[in-house]
Amino acid sequence: MRCARTWRFFAQLPANAQGKLPRSVFEAAAGPRPLAPEALELPRLADHERRYRLEIPCDLAHFSGHFPTAPVVPGVVQIGWAMSLAQRDLHPELRFAGMEALKFQRLLRPGDTAMLALKWDASKQKLYFAYTVNGAPCSSGRILQAGGHGPA
C-alpha cells in the first residue's frame, strides 16, 4: 500500500486548557477527511459508457470503523461512487431502485488505484458498474433505475 503523505504547517498548534492537543481539535484544524477518491475520466469507449481511474485516499472518512486494523472501502460506498459519477457524467436522471448481480471479489484498500467502468443500458434501464485493480475484479453489479424496471 502506498499513500501520499502531506504536510501542513501551523505557527502554533491549538491546545486545550491543559495544554494538550485533543484529537477533535486536531481534526478540526487539519480539515475534513475526503469522502471520495480523485476520479480521472479516461477516454470514452462509447456515448453510453464511462471509465475512470480512482486514487483511493489513505485517509478516506469511510475507513473509520471499517475496519480499524485493516481498512477497506465499504461496498455501499462503492455503489454510491458509481451512482454519483453516473448521475454527473452519464445519466443524470438515474434514481436507485435496487441491485442485481452484486459481487465483491477483492477488497479496495487505502492507496489503491482502481479503475471504474460504467455502462448505461437504456433499453433495460440499468447501470452496469465494475471496479478493478491491476486488471483484477474487485466488485461489480447492476443498479436498477427507479420507475424504469419491473412493476411500479
Side-chain angles (χ1 to χ4, degrees):
M1 163 184 6
R2 66 179 218 299
C3 290
R5 303 243 180 218
T6 58
W7 295 88
R8 200 172 290 177
F9 295 96
F10 295 92
Q12 182 177 1
L13 289 174
N16 64 15
Q18 291 83 28
K20 296 183 179 182
L21 177 60
R23 181 181 196 99
S24 61
V25 173
F26 170 77
E27 289 176 354
R33 292 170 56 194
L35 296 172
E38 291 288 325
L40 174 66
E41 187 171 354
L42 300 173
R44 295 179 185 179
L45 302 175
D47 284 341
H48 61 281
E49 296 181 22
R50 298 290 186 275
R51 296 180 309 139
Y52 304 89
R53 186 176 77 218
L54 307 176
E55 300 291 335
I56 309 298
C58 291
D59 60 344
L60 187 71
H62 302 293
F63 290 145
S64 295
H66 204 89
F67 296 93
T69 59
V72 300
V73 178
V76 69
V77 171
Q78 295 177 46
I79 294 165
W81 291 345
M83 285 273 305
S84 178
L85 288 167
Q87 288 169 325
R88 185 187 80 187
D89 298 336
L90 189 59
H91 187 65
E93 300 81 25
L94 180 64
R95 299 295 172 261
F96 185 87
M99 297 289 309
E100 291 181 340
L102 185 60
K103 295 179 187 173
F104 295 98
Q105 299 158 296
R106 181 186 183 280
L107 301 174
L108 282 179
R109 305 285 316 263
D112 278 349
T113 299
M115 298 299 182
L116 170 60
L118 300 175
K119 178 181 176 184
W120 173 248
D121 186 328
S123 66
K124 295 181 181 178
Q125 293 290 289
K126 296 178 185 179
L127 175 71
Y128 293 72
F129 72 90
Y131 288 88
T132 59
V133 171
N134 295 325
C138 295
S139 62
S140 61
R142 297 185 296 266
I143 298 171
L144 307 179
Q145 168 68 28
H149 180 78

